[in-house]
Amino acid sequence: MRSHKGISYAKYGYIFSIPFLVAFLIFSLYPTIYTAIIGFTDLKGLGKTDFKFLEDPLQNFKLIINNPSFKISLKNTVHIWIMNFIPQIGLALLLTAWFTSRGSKLAGQGFFKVVFYMPNIITAATIAILFNSLFQYPMSPANDLIQRLGIVDEPFNFLVKKNVARYIVAFIQFWQWYGYTMLILISGVLGISPEIYEAAECDGANSVQMFFLVTIPNLKTILLYTLITSMIGGLNMFDIPRLFMMGGPDNATLTTNVFIYNQAFSGSYMYNRASAASMIMFAIIAFFSMIVFFIMRDKDEVAARKSRKQMLKEYKKAMKEAKS
Amino acid sequence: MRKSTTFGRVSFKTIAYIILIFLTIVSLLPFIIMLVNSTRSTFEIQQRSLSLLPSTFLMSNFEVLTGKTFDPIVGFINSSIISVSATALTIYFSALTAFGLIAYNWKMRQAFFSVIMAIMMIPAQVTSIGFYQFMYRIGMTNNLLALILPAIAAPAAVFFMRQFMLPTLPMDILDSARIDGAGEFYTFNRIVIPIMKPAMATQGIFSFVASWNNLFLPLILLTSNSKYTMPIMVSLLRGDIYKTEYGAVYLGLSLTVLPLFIVYFSLSKYIIAGVALGGVKG
């Protein structure tokens, strides 16, 4: 074995990384730089690829920042994300508390997990159009239901009310993602050392106290991770708002990605302005993903090192005790 | 004391089950309505939109649906080509990259891994204009390869594979393979890949589903009907030509969901475990 150390295998590290690196340079890095460049040019019009840099290089960025539709779309995106995330994390935490409760075990957990996660894997495009069909006016399953339950006498036109349309989009997001968040949190709870719970039990803590004083503090990292990844996903919302109401009614469900799509691929095909808007979103998302990067880097390396040290310590301690 | 705890437990369980069953209905009802309504005629749906009784108009709905622009077979084939190829590329090359990151001690290793983690969260959508312009220039719009080849570089998959490989890959196997005269590439294909199978299966399911459901990039790249993927086919149902054909729209939606239902319910155990695994390392 020692003799093999003489041969350097390091070059295989480079060789095995080449395919990834090449694909990344061509299909990710180059398009990113290209998008950034287009943001400073006059590139617009269907089928156009040649461009000139603008005299005022920041013109597109200025136009986008001052564009009322972009402002609305940014506001909508954040608004819809918050309306979906707060109930989502709340319900996910409640279900996590129930499913990991040490006192009373609920039967059928496997079934509920499968059902609650299911909407997450169904094509978002399909779900958007399905919900559009469910809420049609005057006759649709939702209208049928509220009339039969006696909530209203007349059919209700859900899709022309700005707030209602936004709530439905937020609800779809919530409905698609709470199961996922729940599974992540449950696996986080299962990773907490049972000894901590046993100690809390000895101190006479009840299950509600244990949840708030043991579970939540120990889930901090995972909660932060969930928050930020959900935010990045929320800032990218496209399929649901685009196909549910095409950003309408009256721009009520226009998100930044729908705005970018409309700028670049309809009307006068303003690739330059769409690129400027993309780069603004890119900067925001890059900022948030840096936070995820630091959370995970620390957690990853530090946790591994810690647990190894801890194990070694305990092992030594046990050996000492056995000897004495 | 004991009595009140038992009572407390029973009432807790009752409330919990009521809420869990309610959530089950909320998760399933939209799909049940969709499936039932795909067998009912537009007239029946207009009379009563919410019904749990299937009717007999499945075939006529199918004729209306496929008589226009919606072509489930073309969509299915294109989506299958893209998703299967992209998934194969993602799992193979991600495992290869992860192996390169773990098994060898090279100078740029830490820097390379940091870059992978840093770009993991950046979504392809924010750089789509540059990607579209680039593909348009080299004549790759309407070419499925433009949606397949980028799958070689999947940072999140590399990250996941690395996390899986770190504790499970026995390094002495590599040494003994070298003593036996095996090349590094042979070792990877014959020894490492079999060990990695569980991780590759998990990652495979998720990249398949993500690729199958992708709408944004196919929508901007594919303009020819014969190249449309399933999600683009679905988006056609939103158009004016299907406006009053409720039965046909529900059927079209059902056709896109059915393959996913089959995959999901037959692999649900692995998928649920896979999500949990992703969370722990995340």
Side-chain angles (χ1 to χ4, degrees), chain B residues 64 80 84 105 112 124 149 156 166 183 206 212 231 279:
Chain B
V64 172
S80 300
V84 170
N105 212 341
F112 185 56
L149 292 178
L166 269 177
F206 290 113
W212 185 275

Side-chain angles (χ1 to χ4, degrees), chain A residues 1 4 9-10 12-14 16-17 19-21 23-24 26-27 30-32 34-35 38 43 47-49 91 95 98-99 104-107 111-119 121-123 125-126 129-134 139-141 144-145 148 171 175 178 180 183-184 187 225 229 232 236 238-239 243-246 257 260-261 264-265 271 274-275 278 281-282 285-286 289-290 292-293 296-297 299-301, chain B residues 9 12-13 16-17 19-20 23-24 26-28 30-31 33-34 37 45-50 93 96-97 99-100 104-108 112 114 116-123 125-127 129-137 149-150 152-155 158 162-163 175 178-179 184-185 206 209 212-213 215-216 219-220 231 234-235 238 249-250 253 256-257 260-261 264-265 268 271-272 275-276 279-282:
Chain A
M1 210 167 127
H4 278 263
Y9 289 102
Y12 288 100
Y14 292 99
F16 288 176
S17 309
F20 179 96
L21 201 63
F24 169 70
I26 297 176
F27 297 112
Y30 180 66
T32 308
Y34 205 27
T35 308
I38 293 170
L43 182 60
K48 279 266 183 65
T49 53
L91 182 61
L95 294 173
W98 287 354
F99 284 170
S104 34
K105 291 253 177 289
L106 292 165
F111 169 80
F112 290 122
K113 283 181 191 169
V114 169
V115 172
F116 297 166
Y117 180 64
M118 190 263 293
I121 63 129
I122 304 298
T123 319
T126 303
I129 295 173
L130 175 60
F131 274 78
N132 179 271
S133 308
L134 294 180
M139 207 47 200
S140 64
D144 207 354
L145 185 69
R148 269 201 257 178
F171 173 78
W175 176 79
Y178 80 88
Y180 169 83
L183 291 178
I184 299 280
S187 79
Y225 169 82
T229 49
I232 293 172
N236 263 301
F238 175 76
D239 304 14
L243 289 176
F244 176 62
M245 280 304 290
M246 303 286 175
N257 258 342
I260 289 169
Y261 179 86
F265 301 103
Y271 301 117
S275 294
S278 293
M281 295 314 291
F282 183 91
I285 289 168
S289 56
M290 275 300 126
V292 179
F293 173 79
M296 291 213 284
R297 194 197 54 178
K299 205 189 139 214
D300 205 38
E301 298 294 324
Chain B
R9 262 181 205 165
F12 158 71
K13 279 201 171 176
Y17 278 119
I19 292 177
L20 292 175
L23 290 173
T24 304
V26 172
S27 282
L28 295 179
F31 297 111
I33 294 172
M34 173 188 78
N37 276 355
I45 295 170
Q46 277 172 330
Q47 293 301 303
R48 243 225 182 307
S49 294
L50 185 66
F93 285 105
L96 186 71
T97 314
F99 182 66
Y104 307 100
N105 212 341
W106 41 298
K107 230 181 178 172
M108 301 296 287
F112 185 56
S114 297
I116 287 180
M117 276 184 66
I119 58 175
M120 201 160 87
M121 293 291 159
I122 307 274
Q125 292 184 7
V126 289
T127 60
I129 313 288
F131 186 70
Y132 168 79
Q133 280 284 325
F134 173 39
M135 289 298 130
Y136 189 83
R137 277 182 112 144
L149 292 178
I152 293 172
V158 174
R162 180 183 174 273
Q163 302 309 94
D175 281 319
R178 277 171 196 157
I179 292 167
E184 301 299 305
F185 208 64
F206 290 113
V209 170
W212 185 275
N213 289 341
L215 174 70
F216 194 87
L219 194 64
I220 63 174
V234 169
S235 73
R238 188 68 175 67
V249 168
Y250 282 114
L253 296 171
T256 65
V257 172
L260 285 168
F261 269 176
Y264 182 66
F265 287 112
S268 62
I271 295 175
I272 298 294
V275 177
V280 171
K281 62 96 179 133

Side-chain angles (χ1 to χ4, degrees), chain B residues 11 53 69 74 96 103 130 134 151 161 174 250 256 267 273:
Chain B
S11 62
L53 292 175
T69 43
V74 167
L96 186 71
F134 173 39
M161 299 267 193
L174 295 186
Y250 282 114
T256 65
L267 298 175

Side-chain angles (χ1 to χ4, degrees), chain A residues 85-107:
Chain A
F85 188 73
I86 292 173
Q88 179 190 323
I89 197 83
L91 182 61
L93 274 171
L94 180 72
L95 294 173
T96 302
W98 287 354
F99 284 170
T100 57
S101 162
R102 296 163 63 82
S104 34
K105 291 253 177 289
L106 292 165

Side-chain angles (χ1 to χ4, degrees), chain A residues 268-282:
Chain A
S268 40
Y269 295 86
M270 288 191 277
Y271 301 117
N272 53 354
R273 282 187 209 165
S275 294
S278 293
M279 279 296 124
I280 293 170
M281 295 314 291
F282 183 91

